Amino acid sequence: MNNTLIVTGCAGFIGGTFTFKALSMGYKVIGVDSFINSNPSTVNKIAQKFPEKFIFIEEDLAKSTNQLKQSINGIDFDAVIHFAGLKAVGESEHEPLKYWENNLISSTNLLSLMNAHKVKKFIFSSSATVYGDSTVQPILESNNIQSTSAYGSTKIAIEQLLKDCARAGLVDVISLRYFNPVGAHQEMIIHEDPYDMPNNLMPRIIRVALNLDKKLHIFGDDYDTRDGTGERDYIHIDDLVEGHFKAIEYVKNLKGFEAFNLGTGQSVTVKEIITCFEEVNGIPISHEYADRRSGDVAKCFADPSKASDLLGWSTRKSLEDMCLDSWRAVKKI
Ligand code: UFG
């Protein structure tokens, strides 16, 4: 092992933050992105800061792996970290083929390439969406898996693909099931882009704080939750990224496939996160109630005890940190 990683989706919020941290820790990174749902600015920032250790390849892995193949010849890798993928739940319901083609085919292509190069260790960015509308909360990894969107179906299918490949001895896999990542890393160089018409709650709150939107729409106030609004498990990006480094250590001695929840174990309602944001940043967020968003579940939060027991990982950052850092990264304050 020579501390070298292949990172797909390195231009995204999570892949980019991970890449930045990995390079800061001394890893070399070959990063790949197609810019289908990201832009070059994150890659440029990373390349400027770490010109020696970062190689970037612009390639759509669903179409070709030729460039990546050429760049990895003769290099030994510790692991592949596969962040790349389309992730908008609503869009996936209108364009399922786009999601299946992009998410599934890029994964099979990547696995074929790794197999040819004898790279066995694989970390996959999965999602709590694989649990669908679970009646059991908090959710353990052993929970039923069910899809509520085409996006969710692709995450479930890729996990199945990885299990099959692991059973055949082609790869050893850790699938990290993310809950709701927010915040920004300490250096605040990479963050979610509130200008890019986001679907998620935190960047929508930021848009109101920036006066880009007049009001936040709260999707539903009649859920069976503490205050009627949706309950989620928001996790600071620093804690989420740290889970990947623990996984890289753990996968070294793993044979087969393991899934881990990356969440705090605390559920937070939409109203609670708005109030927290307003208090820590001193900015009012005007909001109004709207209809439920199609495909949304009432509650989704993790039981993270498996990651704590086996990976030695637990979250450190509070909801206040998440709200402060999400805002500071955008405002650079
Ligand atoms: N919400 C609003 N208004 C908004 C946006 C969101 O009220 O403008 C609410 C939603 O209804 C939900 C909560 O805020 O109750 C969180 O919504 P997000 O869109 O931020 O996140 P989701 O939990 O719906 O989805 C996220 C990821 C998915 C992933 C899922 C896993 O975006 O990719 O978590 O549980 F599949």
Side-chain angles (χ1 to χ4, degrees):
M1 295 300 164
N2 63 352
N3 274 357
T4 308
L5 304 169
I6 297 173
V7 179
T8 74
C10 68
F13 165 51
I14 303 175
T17 307
F18 170 84
T19 300
F20 191 96
K21 179 78 183 173
L23 289 160
S24 319
M25 288 167 69
Y27 283 98
K28 288 176 229 138
V29 173
I30 296 202
V32 192
D33 208 295
S34 64
F35 299 134
I36 289 177
N37 57 346
S38 57
N39 62 60
S41 66
T42 295
V43 166
N44 294 339
K45 288 177 197 163
I46 296 171
Q48 253 171 29
K49 176 102 179 155
F50 303 99
E52 315 278 295
K53 293 186 191 155
F54 179 57
I55 294 172
F56 177 69
I57 296 155
E58 183 178 344
E59 188 159 54
D60 181 348
L61 298 177
K63 304 226 160 72
S64 160
T65 54
N66 285 340
Q67 290 188 63
L68 181 58
K69 199 184 289 176
Q70 279 164 22
S71 318
I72 66 176
N73 250 339
I75 304 177
D76 267 352
F77 290 94
D78 294 28
V80 172
I81 326 291
H82 185 30
F83 292 98
L86 298 176
K87 63 177 180 64
V89 175
E91 183 190 49
S92 79
E93 283 294 278
H94 300 294
E95 299 187 72
L97 274 174
K98 180 172 157 186
Y99 273 69
W100 277 92
E101 185 184 56
N102 186 81
N103 292 359
L104 240 291
I105 299 183
S106 60
S107 300
T108 52
N109 284 348
L110 183 61
L111 284 162
S112 301
L113 179 62
M114 283 179 59
N115 193 30
H117 279 261
K118 309 268 176 284
V119 186
K120 282 197 78 173
K121 304 297 178 180
F122 197 98
I123 314 289
F124 175 57
S125 296
S126 188
S127 162
T129 196
V130 302
Y131 299 119
D133 195 359
S134 173
T135 49
V136 183
Q137 300 284 342
I139 307 176
L140 276 167
E141 291 81 353
S142 53
N143 201 79
N144 284 344
I145 297 299
Q146 49 169 296
S147 157
T148 50
S149 69
Y151 161 70
S153 304
T154 65
K155 289 289 177 195
I156 293 170
I158 297 166
E159 284 202 356
Q160 192 57 55
L161 163 72
L162 291 168
K163 281 178 199 165
D164 290 347
C165 290
R167 212 173 44 254
L170 305 182
V171 273
D172 301 310
V173 180
I174 291 188
S175 183
L176 297 174
R177 296 175 178 162
Y178 305 160
F179 282 69
N180 292 60
V182 294
H185 65 134
Q186 213 183 346
E187 295 82 357
M188 308 225 158
I189 291 172
I190 294 150
H191 57 83
E192 264 186 297
D193 183 1
Y195 295 91
D196 191 24
M197 285 321 288
N199 296 305
N200 295 119
L201 180 60
M202 184 57 86
R204 289 265 183 107
I205 292 176
I206 300 278
R207 284 183 65 83
V208 178
L210 287 170
N211 250 330
L212 294 170
D213 291 337
K214 279 208 164 58
K215 277 190 169 118
L216 176 80
H217 291 111
I218 299 181
F219 299 137
D221 64 348
D222 56 353
Y223 283 109
D224 183 15
T225 57
R226 272 197 296 282
D227 59 22
T229 67
E231 280 177 35
R232 293 291 184 277
D233 187 337
Y234 299 94
I235 170 170
H236 195 289
I237 185 80
D238 279 343
D239 285 328
L240 187 92
V241 161
E242 178 62 20
H244 293 69
F245 292 106
K246 298 283 187 186
I248 291 169
E249 281 308 304
Y250 191 80
V251 82
K252 284 181 186 164
N253 297 315
L254 177 72
K255 292 271 167 269
F257 174 101
E258 285 290 347
F260 291 95
N261 287 340
L262 293 186
T264 64
Q266 306 295 318
S267 80
V268 172
T269 70
V270 176
K271 273 167 81 171
E272 286 165 352
I273 199 167
I274 294 172
T275 304
C276 181
F277 187 96
E278 292 179 326
E279 283 175 8
V280 298
N281 294 309
I283 302 168
I285 300 297
S286 32
H287 52 270
E288 64 187 17
Y289 293 103
D291 289 345
R292 290 182 177 194
R293 184 172 63 177
S294 148
D296 269 357
V297 300
K299 292 185 194 178
C300 182
F301 64 106
D303 181 330
S305 48
K306 183 177 173 188
S308 163
D309 294 346
L310 298 187
L311 301 182
W313 172 86
S314 54
T315 57
R316 296 196 189 129
K317 303 249 169 151
S318 65
L319 188 65
E320 284 76 13
D321 295 326
M322 300 180 212
C323 291
L324 270 172
D325 292 348
S326 296
W327 178 238
R328 282 181 182 162
V330 172
K331 290 297 284 178
K332 298 282 181 275
I333 48 177

